[in-house]
Amino acid sequence: MSGLNVLLVDDDDLLAKGTAKLIQRLGGHQVDITAEPADIFQRCRSQSIDIVLMDVNLPEAEWLGQPVSGADLAHILKTQPQTAHIPIILVTAYAMLTERQPLLDLSQADALCVKPITNYQDLLQLIDRLCNQRSSQ
């Protein structure tokens, strides 16, 4: 599946730009980057986002005056009728094996990817699989 609109949520601008470039080059997808919660919600509600790659660690992010993580933002997206259908892949460098399922349960995200991403073909296959599942429902 090519030509998807991917929203990449990451506060590390250099890493985000490198990841976006590889997803665009290898997968043919359009990638937008943000780390601002209001921007995330606005873009997802606009119906133009096919999938979200959400960094878990967003130390500067706040929503409604409270600090939030990427897992918190994923949970909000998954519990809103306008955005619940959008697949979300959490991206984290810190989740140990035993923490992964609780993190997925808490966030209601569809999958988890560990940073650093070393195999972009695997990531692109995961993106395609999740988007294909959504479109076949």
Side-chain angles (χ1 to χ4, degrees), residues 102-124:
L103 191 57
L104 284 169
D105 292 344
L106 169 74
S107 66
Q108 298 182 16
D110 299 276
L112 186 133
C113 180
V114 176
K115 289 197 294 189
I117 299 168
T118 56
N119 188 329
Y120 278 87
Q121 289 303 331
D122 285 350
L123 175 62
L124 291 168

Side-chain angles (χ1 to χ4, degrees), residues 20-37:
K21 189 172 281 194
L22 285 166
I23 291 171
Q24 289 168 335
R25 187 177 302 145
L26 298 174
H29 304 310
Q30 174 62 40
V31 182
D32 291 320
I33 302 168
T34 189
E36 297 297 324

Side-chain angles (χ1 to χ4, degrees), residues 26-94:
L26 298 174
H29 304 310
Q30 174 62 40
V31 182
D32 291 320
I33 302 168
T34 189
E36 297 297 324
D39 195 31
I40 295 164
F41 297 132
Q42 185 276 324
R43 289 178 191 224
C44 288
R45 288 182 187 130
S46 74
Q47 305 298 318
S48 64
I49 299 299
D50 295 304
I51 191 163
V52 176
L53 299 180
M54 178 83 70
D55 188 10
V56 172
N57 188 30
L58 300 170
E60 302 295 317
E62 285 191 6
W63 181 244
L64 303 177
Q66 298 295 316
V68 289
S69 70
D72 297 326
L73 296 171
H75 179 81
I76 294 167
L77 287 169
K78 286 298 193 174
T79 56
Q80 300 287 318
Q82 287 179 291
T83 56
H85 66 282
I86 301 171
I88 299 174
I89 301 172
L90 292 180
V91 183
T92 182
Y94 304 108

Side-chain angles (χ1 to χ4, degrees), residues 94-106:
Y94 304 108
M96 295 174 47
L97 201 51
T98 57
E99 297 170 337
R100 292 180 189 174
Q101 192 58 50
L103 191 57
L104 284 169
D105 292 344
L106 169 74

